[in-house]
Amino acid sequence: MKILVTGSAGFVGKNLVENLKNIRDGKNRTRPLLSVDEIFPYDLDSAPEELDAACADCDFVFNLAGVNRPKDPAEFRAGNFGFASTLLQTLKKHHNTCPVMLSSSIQATLEGRYAGSAYGLSKKDGEELFFRYAAETGAKVLVYRFPNLAGKWIRPNYNSAVGTFCYNVAHDLPLTVNDPSVELELLFIDDLVEEMLDALEGKEHHCEFDGVKTTLRDDGRYCAAPVTHKATLGYIVSCLERFRDQPKTLIMPSIPNGSFEKKLYAMYLSYLPKEKVAFDLKMNCDDRGSFTELLKTVDHGQFSVNISKPGITKGQHWHNSKWEFFIVVKGEALIQERKIGTDEVMEFRVSGKRIQAVHMLPGYTHNIINLSESEDLITLMWASEIFDPEKPDTFSEPV
């Protein structure tokens, strides 16, 4: 399949083109039925001849070109209607009736706060142009009305409040939120790209609109990405502040698969300046070695790394309800555990050459002994809860 992408240097275009390359080059194997043979990227800097050649040869068109922040409102129509006309006329010239996708906007509903919007009117005109083209030529036309877009590479201080928030928080710049209760509907770019790949496979999702509300319907005139998220500006800012503080608190907030928080965190990280990409961890050092907390989670405990010098024994304590995993990744060690009130000792000889996870059982005092006379022992440790100095649940007792 040969694919033309107009507006290829923009936010959506760049993400789409890079993901099409992954399929073309065999790096993404999640779409076994989709074959991408050639990609024709086209943008403002491209020569008109490139558009003509691509329209003659392409099997699918993603029309992502458009204007959303012009100096003169008259540019809306030129950018959102004028180029679309050129594109469709060029396809007609070559008798190419391949499917064509149009990126429109929820503002084209002209409902509520979008009533009378010059941008919305230009997008609505573009939509009708495409629908007329479909009626005239029989070509398949897919018109998507996007809500607020979000995700990596979106330009801050341009047309994305969330992009601006992410950039400012990552760079320690002030935020201005006039009304924290304002709710946004967000479509993250990776969900949009998956929908566009669905469209290439003929599995696009159709919809209709009740005002600005999207209702998925198999017979809908329009198309939509099925996964969006709603969040208030206040909640978005509170999430970003927790993400910003993570290198200090070490607490990773809950980020379930597919959740808004997980996608927002990924977006936030894409704006980090170089000086924040790496950060120091507090090493608690003594003559036995060191102990360093790595990561704390809201509801899944914490991770640490323990370094023991040759011949050193660490631990010698027990817990009522807390439990742990010890995982030796370098060196040779003996782990011992004894149930409180008994004399029987369980022993586990472990090595970084054969990595195992050993439970530290509740109610069992335990230790770990570096058996080497010359090398440090490195052990990853997971505990079922974040250490609380006010309630440590840790009691000294030799094995």
Side-chain angles (χ1 to χ4, degrees), residues 3-21 39-43 60-68 101-105 119 123 142 144-155 158-160 186-197 199-200 225 267 271:
I3 302 165
L4 167 61
V5 181
T6 73
S8 58
F11 166 58
V12 178
K14 181 179 179 181
N15 276 276
L16 176 61
V17 167
E18 292 305 319
N19 279 277
L20 289 173
K21 288 178 182 177
I39 305 164
F40 303 120
Y42 185 84
D43 209 81
F60 197 105
V61 178
F62 288 103
N63 183 37
L64 308 175
V67 174
N68 52 29
M101 174 268 190
L102 171 66
S103 65
S104 186
S105 166
Y119 177 69
K123 285 295 190 180
L142 308 175
Y144 284 82
R145 287 177 168 176
F146 297 153
N148 297 281
L149 297 180
K152 65 185 185 298
W153 306 336
I154 202 167
R155 182 176 169 184
Y158 185 59
N159 65 340
S160 168
L186 296 169
L187 170 56
F188 283 91
I189 188 61
D190 296 329
D191 293 323
L192 174 54
V193 168
E194 287 301 311
E195 170 62 21
M196 291 193 284
L197 297 180
L200 281 177
M267 180 179 179
Y271 290 93

Side-chain angles (χ1 to χ4, degrees), residues 23-297:
I23 295 174
R24 180 196 64 189
D25 299 340
K27 298 175 183 177
N28 179 355
R29 297 184 177 88
T30 64
R31 299 273 177 167
L33 301 180
L34 184 58
S35 175
V36 176
D37 302 307
E38 194 167 356
I39 305 164
F40 303 120
Y42 185 84
D43 209 81
L44 289 173
D45 297 332
S46 304
E49 302 81 50
E50 294 179 54
L51 181 65
D52 187 79
C55 285
D57 205 23
C58 64
D59 302 305
F60 197 105
V61 178
F62 288 103
N63 183 37
L64 308 175
V67 174
N68 52 29
R69 287 289 293 271
K71 296 179 180 178
D72 183 346
E75 295 177 36
F76 277 134
R77 183 169 178 83
N80 296 328
F81 183 86
F83 176 76
S85 299
T86 300
L87 170 66
L88 298 181
Q89 288 298 327
T90 308
L91 289 168
K92 283 183 181 179
K93 168 187 168 183
H94 293 288
H95 307 287
N96 188 343
T97 57
C98 70
V100 184
M101 174 268 190
L102 171 66
S103 65
S104 186
S105 166
I106 197 70
Q107 294 194 37
T109 60
L110 302 176
E111 295 282 346
R113 63 191 179 97
Y114 303 131
S117 159
Y119 177 69
L121 286 166
S122 69
K123 285 295 190 180
K124 179 69 174 176
D125 287 345
E127 292 177 358
E128 295 305 321
L129 177 68
F130 271 69
F131 287 131
R132 289 196 297 272
Y133 170 78
E136 293 169 8
T137 65
K140 183 178 181 179
V141 166
L142 308 175
V143 176
Y144 284 82
R145 287 177 168 176
F146 297 153
N148 297 281
L149 297 180
K152 65 185 185 298
W153 306 336
I154 202 167
R155 182 176 169 184
N157 301 304
Y158 185 59
N159 65 340
S160 168
V162 180
T164 302
F165 289 173
C166 286
Y167 179 88
N168 284 17
V169 172
H171 290 80
D172 298 318
L173 298 173
L175 292 180
T176 300
V177 182
N178 295 323
D179 185 354
S181 67
V182 170
E183 185 178 70
L184 299 182
E185 182 181 11
L186 296 169
L187 170 56
F188 283 91
I189 188 61
D190 296 329
D191 293 323
L192 174 54
V193 168
E194 287 301 311
E195 170 62 21
M196 291 193 284
L197 297 180
D198 282 344
L200 281 177
E201 294 183 340
K203 300 186 298 186
E204 69 279 354
H205 295 82
H206 287 264
C207 72
E208 286 293 347
F209 288 88
D210 179 7
V212 297
K213 181 181 178 182
T214 304
T215 303
L216 294 176
R217 281 178 44 178
D218 290 342
D219 61 346
R221 187 186 194 205
Y222 299 91
C223 294
V227 179
T228 62
H229 300 269
K230 292 183 178 179
T232 64
L233 294 178
Y235 182 69
I236 292 169
V237 171
S238 70
C239 286
L240 294 175
E241 289 173 343
R242 291 200 303 273
F243 302 160
R244 175 200 62 201
D245 294 341
Q246 195 276 331
K248 298 177 183 177
T249 66
L250 298 183
I251 296 176
M252 181 64 64
S254 181
I255 48 173
N257 191 35
S259 67
F260 166 77
E261 293 80 6
K262 185 174 184 179
K263 295 170 187 178
L264 182 64
Y265 209 152
M267 180 179 179
Y268 164 76
L269 291 175
S270 72
Y271 290 93
L272 283 185
K274 180 182 178 181
E275 60 268 22
K276 287 191 175 183
V277 173
F279 57 93
D280 291 335
L281 296 170
K282 181 185 177 183
M283 297 180 66
N284 300 288
C285 301
D286 57 26
D287 56 5
R288 301 175 303 156
S290 66
F291 177 80
T292 306
E293 294 178 317
L294 302 178
L295 178 69
K296 302 176 181 180
T297 69

Side-chain angles (χ1 to χ4, degrees), residues 280-322:
D280 291 335
L281 296 170
K282 181 185 177 183
M283 297 180 66
N284 300 288
C285 301
D286 57 26
D287 56 5
R288 301 175 303 156
S290 66
F291 177 80
T292 306
E293 294 178 317
L294 302 178
L295 178 69
K296 302 176 181 180
T297 69
V298 171
D299 49 13
H300 289 90
Q302 73 173 52
F303 297 84
S304 308
V305 61
N306 185 78
I307 299 177
S308 300
K309 292 182 178 180
I312 290 296
T313 299
K314 284 191 174 184
Q316 306 285 50
H317 60 239
W318 64 280
H319 316 289
N320 277 309
S321 57
K322 183 190 304 184

